[in-house]
Amino acid sequence: MTETTEEPAHRTRILADLTPLRTSPDYRRLWFGNTVSWIGQGMTALAVSLQVYDITGSAFSVGLIGFCSLVPLVVFGLYGGAIADTVDRRRLGLFSATGSFVLSLALVAVTVAGVERVGPLYAVVALQAVCFALNSPARSSMVARLLPAEQLPAANALNSMTSTTGALVGPMLGGLIVGWWGYRAAYTVDALTFTASLYAMWRLPSMLPDRGEGTGTAGKRASVLDGLRFLGTRPNLRMTFFTDLCAMVLAHPRALFPVVAVVWFGGDAKTTGLLVAAPALGALLGGVFSGWLGRIRRHGLAVMIAVACWGAAIAVFGLTRQLWLGLLFLALAGCADTVSMVFRNTMLQAAVPDEMRGRLQGVFIVVVAGGPRLGDFLAGSVADLASPAVAVTGGGIACVVAVSLLALRWRGFARYDARDPQP
């Protein structure tokens, strides 16, 4: 008996810890439904981009798709978090997932009707972002209610595999389905994938936010400003956002990939695709080989080291002129990002009172949605003023320096202990 129980424990020190999937049927259904729907969303994102380009022939029109999703994510991210701290999170998740399902059907209808205008596509993309901004805080807040605190790092590692799998597999399947059967088929498959998420939400128990003493009654409307004030007095939680912004704003070279693919590596669009896929692949591998993360207790220190590793990997990438080496360092950066994400999410779940979790997850959405886009703007601006090498390597170095300065300013973050989570 001793050997059979120790062998799985030994494996989880290397591979992803599957304990949350084994112990919680509700989490297992939620994780599976999210994984399937993320793949469907990845398919739709590519299909919409291709359809907009087919209609307009304009790269600018394709770029507007991102703007149409960014504004609702930023605006409704905070508002969605406040709603998640007021109502039954299961119902909110079910309502928003149903909205996403209906919008996928709307894309099918637009395609069947033969509409040759981009306005309806932009409108659906914006409404999908609203549904996501409402669904994500509710869904993320549920995890801490479904699992014990010691399983949260493993659950967040599994969740990272969900998003990266969707980012990698979804566009590939979308391209194949559009190429073989057209846009209608891609949107139909996306609608079908949402049924898995709907089923998972439907099977969950009711999840009204817990209200501690002094927070008011259960029916009181949660205030976005109260959530921001709470964040303003909790240095460890603020640091989870500050460190992520260091990476995403200062050292985010995604916008320069088409340029460096040609100038540095003598490649083409396929090379750009490899550069885009490398961080996602590294992030996926970071989730697959995440079993050791559950043994880490100094989550704040781990976040700072991971973000510094991201910056260092990006800086070295800016110095490489061999494609295989550049892809390697981008993959290492993606792996470091997974480690950072796992511990930042765990801190937000474990150190935040349940009645505030939705609002803090709403802030998280705003940071995740806005940070990379600010990073794209900064990288492009520096590359125009100086050079792509200065933008990439300088940004990576700036990330490491910024994280080091934050560590010196808020020393308590490095001492954060998961056994006694203090916000």
Side-chain angles (χ1 to χ4, degrees):
M1 290 294 294
T2 302
E3 293 183 359
T4 57
T5 57
E6 287 181 354
E7 186 179 359
H10 175 72
R11 283 201 299 267
T12 58
R13 288 198 292 267
I14 301 173
L15 299 177
D17 186 356
L18 303 181
T19 302
L21 297 176
R22 291 196 298 265
T23 60
S24 173
D26 287 329
Y27 175 77
R28 182 168 61 246
R29 284 189 292 267
L30 189 65
W31 181 84
F32 177 77
N34 290 339
T35 300
V36 174
S37 62
W38 266 96
I39 293 173
Q41 291 172 65
M43 293 170 49
T44 290
L46 179 72
V48 169
S49 298
L50 292 173
Q51 189 169 10
V52 167
Y53 188 75
D54 279 348
I55 294 172
T56 65
S58 167
F60 176 77
S61 298
V62 176
L64 283 178
I65 297 172
F67 180 78
C68 290
S69 63
L70 173 62
V71 174
L73 282 174
V74 172
V75 173
F76 285 91
L78 294 174
Y79 186 62
I83 296 176
D85 285 339
T86 304
V87 303
D88 182 351
R89 289 163 179 163
R90 171 189 174 271
R91 289 189 178 182
L92 178 59
L94 192 59
F95 169 80
S96 52
T98 301
S100 296
F101 170 74
V102 171
L103 289 169
S104 294
L105 293 179
L107 287 173
V108 176
V110 167
T111 306
V112 170
V115 176
E116 291 294 327
R117 296 192 302 273
V118 296
L121 298 177
Y122 288 154
V124 171
V125 167
L127 292 173
Q128 284 178 329
V130 172
C131 290
F132 179 82
L134 295 175
N135 184 272
S136 186
R139 187 178 64 245
S140 299
S141 302
M142 293 175 186
V143 176
R145 297 275 291 271
L146 297 175
L147 298 169
E150 63 271 14
Q151 292 183 20
L152 291 179
N156 286 314
L158 292 169
N159 293 341
S160 75
M161 294 169 62
T162 290
S163 58
T164 51
T165 298
L168 284 171
V169 177
M172 288 190 295
L173 286 178
L176 292 174
I177 292 175
V178 169
W180 288 339
W181 299 296
Y183 299 115
R184 179 173 57 184
Y187 299 143
T188 301
V189 172
D190 182 30
L192 292 175
T193 63
F194 269 110
T195 60
S197 181
L198 287 170
Y199 175 75
M201 289 286 182
W202 179 68
R203 289 291 303 274
L204 289 174
S206 176
M207 288 195 191
L208 285 167
D210 289 335
R211 296 283 182 177
E213 295 183 4
T215 61
T217 64
K220 181 181 177 181
R221 180 180 178 182
S223 166
V224 172
L225 291 179
D226 285 344
L228 295 176
R229 292 190 191 102
F230 175 83
L231 181 61
T233 60
R234 303 302 193 273
N236 286 334
L237 298 179
R238 289 202 308 272
M239 277 289 285
T240 64
F241 296 112
F242 290 162
T243 52
D244 187 47
L245 288 173
C246 286
M248 295 296 100
V249 176
L250 298 176
H252 196 255
R254 178 183 61 186
L256 302 180
F257 284 163
V259 177
V260 302
V262 176
V263 176
W264 292 359
F265 305 117
D268 52 16
K270 295 178 182 177
T271 308
T272 303
L274 290 175
L275 295 175
V276 172
L281 180 59
L284 179 60
L285 291 176
V288 171
F289 297 99
S290 62
W292 59 278
L293 296 181
R295 303 198 303 273
I296 305 298
R297 296 290 179 261
R298 301 281 290 277
H299 289 182
L301 180 61
V303 168
M304 290 189 294
I305 292 174
V307 173
C309 288
W310 164 280
I314 295 299
V316 176
F317 166 73
L319 300 174
T320 60
R321 296 300 180 268
Q322 291 183 307
L323 181 58
W324 70 269
L325 193 58
L327 294 175
L328 173 62
F329 279 102
L330 286 177
L332 290 174
C335 184
D337 186 47
T338 290
V339 175
S340 168
M341 184 279 299
V342 166
F343 290 125
R344 285 185 290 108
N345 271 354
T346 300
M347 293 174 71
L348 287 176
Q349 292 162 342
V352 177
D354 186 69
E355 71 272 11
M356 285 286 179
R357 282 187 185 130
R359 279 164 283 185
L360 269 292
Q361 289 295 334
V363 176
F364 179 80
I365 290 176
V366 173
V367 171
V368 169
R373 288 164 176 83
L374 288 176
D376 289 342
F377 175 77
L378 180 62
S381 300
V382 174
D384 281 343
L385 294 173
S387 70
V390 171
V392 177
T393 298
I397 294 173
C399 172
V400 176
V401 171
V403 169
S404 301
L405 293 176
L406 288 173
L408 292 174
R409 174 61 180 84
W410 285 284
R411 299 175 184 269
F413 187 64
R415 297 191 294 270
Y416 178 95
D417 192 327
R419 292 167 292 191
D420 182 27
Q422 297 297 323

